[in-house]
Amino acid sequence: MNWGLYIVALVIAMVLDVSFVQVFAINHVIPSLAMCLLVFVCLYASRDSVLWAALLMGLLLDMTDVHLYMGSRPYHLVGPHVLGCFFAVCLVLPLRAMVFRRNPLAIGVMTVLLSIAVSLVYCFLWQIRSWYPDVLPPWSPEGVGSAFWRLVLCSLYSGLIAMPLGWLLTRTLPAWGFAMGNSRTARRG
Amino acid sequence: MIASVVLSLCLSLAPTSWLVPWTADIGAIISLPLAPLEHAATRARFWLRPSMEQEDLSSLQVEQLIEERDRYRGMLYQQRLKIRELQSQVQELQAAAQFGSSNSSRLLIAGVSGRRASGVTGPLRLNIGSRQGVLPSSVAVHRGDHLVGLISDDVQRLSSLLIPITDPSNGLIEGFLVPPGTADSRSQFMRVQLAPSGGGMLHADLDARLEVPLNTEVRIDDPGLPAGAQGMRIGRVVDVSRRDEQPLRNRLIIQPWFNAHELASVTIKIDAQQDEGGHP
């Protein structure tokens, strides 16, 4: 896998996620382009590359996710996204053999699954941390249930966005330098 | 790889007080090269989808006039609160000294460059920092006297964090109600305690016998907030309903005039008292 290209794509996806995708917001539900990128890598890269790519993406997501301690002291919690992405790709990797990788619908469905898995770990770890003194979970004052439901909606939206985005990423496939084995791809023509 | 996962698990469960000193610095280093890109992306976002309040403006002149009017109105309320405080003090000279030093402040325009990728809540990153004179706990306003948030304690050299006023980390906020059409009356305003209720809204509970019309304005009067925030507008009452758990109390739902997450830029107000460090 071309790691240089992955890092560039990751930075672009992160920047767009934190600053631009609100343009697509529907009642506070926003898609995640980073999840689409991770699914794309997950479908084509080797197992080890996918796991490292997931850890790197999780780390960057955690380092852009600012939280507040004692009212106004900012900090970053390394873990919820790192473990979430790792868990999600472990879940999705076995499924990639069952889908047509070039099919945009498959990319969309996989994005929904991956994004929900990330959200599950994220909510779980933050729920544990909410029992710590002086720690407010990111969804406060709402409950974890409503936060998870909103993340599920965001996942569905990400899946929708992933279809055209996945199709575009598939056009750039030669540049990524994936070791293409005997993968299942959609029959063309 | 397993070591990385185990390390992440340990970090994710580590005490917050241990994470605070070093993770904020690493986060700032990571966000530094991303800031110009985020700023450009934010500008593109507001160019493509401007917020509602920006669409309403017909010209720059009208916008400036509205801002000026709102700023002076905010100062008016600030001064009223100050006057009430002065009246309650016994030593007149001491009160007069405080009154004299209350009003001057320095304004800085800050662009919003980034926010959480995981949602539409939480702190926002601004593209100016201590180099431009931003100080911790400064007040962020929009259109003169609409309070949108506070600057966090950790101000970086080139960036800072804005905590929206509706963020739960601010805790309870004290304010007072100004019913529509009573802006110039000298009647006693009703005091309320505002709490975040999620979705960028606030709520307050009030005695059910007190009648609160819709669109009643809510302004800040909280000794725990900086002097520059006092008397500023925070929102308006959009719903009043009886509480089932406490039938003698009504719950007011307060919608902020401006959601910090919907703004491309804010004005940082630095009080003269804060500014003693001698920033340019």
Side-chain angles (χ1 to χ4, degrees):
Chain A
M1 187 173 113
N2 184 345
W3 281 97
L5 183 57
Y6 174 71
I7 289 167
V8 170
L10 179 57
V11 166
I12 292 170
M14 293 299 307
V15 166
L16 293 177
D17 272 353
V18 299
S19 305
F20 185 75
V21 290
Q22 284 84 3
V23 84
F24 301 116
I26 302 173
N27 194 23
H28 294 196
V29 174
I30 52 172
S32 168
L33 305 183
M35 291 297 125
C36 309
L37 177 67
L38 188 56
V39 165
F40 172 71
V41 171
C42 197
L43 285 175
Y44 291 100
S46 66
R47 184 186 164 81
D48 277 357
S49 299
V50 170
L51 293 174
W52 281 115
L55 288 176
L56 185 62
M57 179 176 286
L59 183 66
L60 208 54
L61 279 169
D62 280 332
M63 293 316 287
T64 55
D65 208 1
V66 187
H67 306 282
L68 294 166
Y69 177 62
M70 306 279 283
S72 62
R73 295 179 66 191
Y75 72 99
H76 299 268
L77 182 64
V78 180
H81 281 114
V82 174
L83 297 171
C85 289
F86 188 81
F87 169 74
V89 294
C90 288
L91 206 69
V92 169
L93 271 172
L95 300 178
R96 69 177 178 177
M98 300 178 210
V99 297
F100 292 111
R101 299 179 190 190
R102 285 176 189 266
N103 188 341
L105 193 64
I107 296 177
V109 172
M110 297 282 267
T111 303
V112 174
L113 290 176
L114 183 126
S115 189
I116 288 175
V118 173
S119 307
L120 197 66
V121 176
Y122 181 84
C123 289
F124 175 72
L125 282 172
W126 268 108
Q127 186 59 27
I128 290 175
R129 285 194 74 85
S130 68
W131 299 329
Y132 288 24
D134 295 323
V135 172
L136 284 173
W139 50 78
S140 176
E142 293 174 5
V144 63
S146 58
F148 183 66
W149 172 241
R150 197 183 63 77
L151 288 172
V152 168
L153 292 177
C154 290
S155 304
L156 291 170
Y157 198 2
S158 301
L160 205 65
I161 293 282
M163 290 185 210
L165 193 66
W167 180 83
L168 277 175
L169 285 169
T170 310
R171 304 291 103 184
T172 65
L173 212 44
W176 288 85
F178 293 127
M180 304 289 279
N182 52 347
S183 59
R184 298 182 76 186
T185 54
R187 293 181 193 89
R188 303 173 74 184
Chain B
M1 187 179 299
I2 296 300
S4 306
V5 174
V6 173
L7 181 66
S8 301
L9 185 62
C10 294
L11 287 174
S12 66
L13 297 174
T16 314
S17 55
W18 185 74
L19 294 170
V20 170
W22 59 276
T23 56
D25 291 337
I26 295 177
I29 291 166
I30 290 175
S31 68
L32 196 64
L34 301 181
L37 298 171
E38 288 173 356
H39 188 61
T42 304
R43 289 182 73 89
R45 173 198 160 195
F46 282 102
W47 179 72
L48 282 170
R49 191 175 171 178
S51 56
M52 291 300 286
E53 54 93 16
Q54 285 169 324
E55 285 173 0
D56 294 336
L57 299 174
S58 56
S59 71
L60 184 66
Q61 197 178 10
V62 173
E63 188 179 359
Q64 284 172 343
L65 284 169
I66 290 170
E67 187 171 335
E68 205 168 287
R69 182 201 69 187
D70 291 346
R71 186 180 301 141
Y72 284 118
R73 191 182 286 169
M75 285 166 68
L76 170 72
Y77 281 103
Q78 200 174 347
Q79 288 308 309
R80 276 191 188 164
L81 291 169
K82 200 73 194 172
I83 288 165
R84 203 171 65 189
E85 184 189 324
L86 286 169
Q87 285 171 342
S88 68
Q89 289 179 348
V90 180
Q91 297 179 342
E92 196 175 343
L93 283 174
Q94 183 190 351
Q98 285 180 8
F99 180 69
S101 64
S102 68
N103 212 0
S104 57
S105 60
R106 195 159 53 86
L107 303 177
L108 293 169
I109 304 292
V112 178
S113 61
R115 63 207 78 219
R116 267 183 201 160
S118 57
V120 286
T121 57
L124 303 164
R125 191 167 290 281
L126 303 179
N127 65 353
I128 61 172
S130 58
R131 197 175 76 166
Q132 288 83 8
V134 178
L135 297 174
S137 303
S138 300
V139 177
V141 298
H142 185 61
R143 282 224 201 145
D145 74 335
H146 295 86
L147 182 68
V148 291
L150 301 170
I151 300 296
S152 76
D153 284 349
D154 186 37
V155 176
Q156 303 292 326
R157 190 158 166 74
L158 295 172
S159 68
S160 50
L161 281 179
L162 169 65
I163 308 167
I165 199 67
T166 52
D167 196 277
S169 60
N170 290 321
L172 297 173
I173 300 165
E174 289 182 35
F176 61 95
L177 301 175
V178 185
T182 60
D184 295 324
S185 77
R186 297 186 183 278
S187 59
Q188 192 70 27
F189 298 122
M190 283 180 274
R191 292 188 62 81
V192 286
Q193 207 167 38
L194 309 167
S197 49
M201 306 287 266
L202 298 160
H203 69 259
D205 293 338
L206 200 66
D207 192 331
R209 289 171 298 183
L210 299 171
E211 193 178 334
V212 178
L214 292 181
N215 292 320
T216 294
E217 201 168 76
V218 185
R219 287 179 177 264
I220 299 285
D221 180 16
D222 191 332
L225 292 177
Q230 308 303 325
M232 292 215 155
R233 282 198 264 191
I234 189 168
R236 63 194 171 95
V237 176
V238 291
D239 187 43
V240 181
S241 56
R242 188 65 61 95
R243 290 200 67 189
D244 291 337
E245 315 90 81
Q246 290 176 289
L248 296 178
R249 292 182 79 77
N250 278 342
R251 170 149 293 186
L252 315 181
I253 303 295
I254 293 127
Q255 183 180 34
W257 289 106
F258 297 102
N259 182 350
H261 284 268
E262 298 294 328
L263 298 176
S265 65
V266 294
T267 305
I268 310 291
K269 192 177 167 189
I270 296 156
D271 289 336
Q273 288 166 340
Q274 283 183 298
D275 209 12
E276 283 171 358
H279 288 281

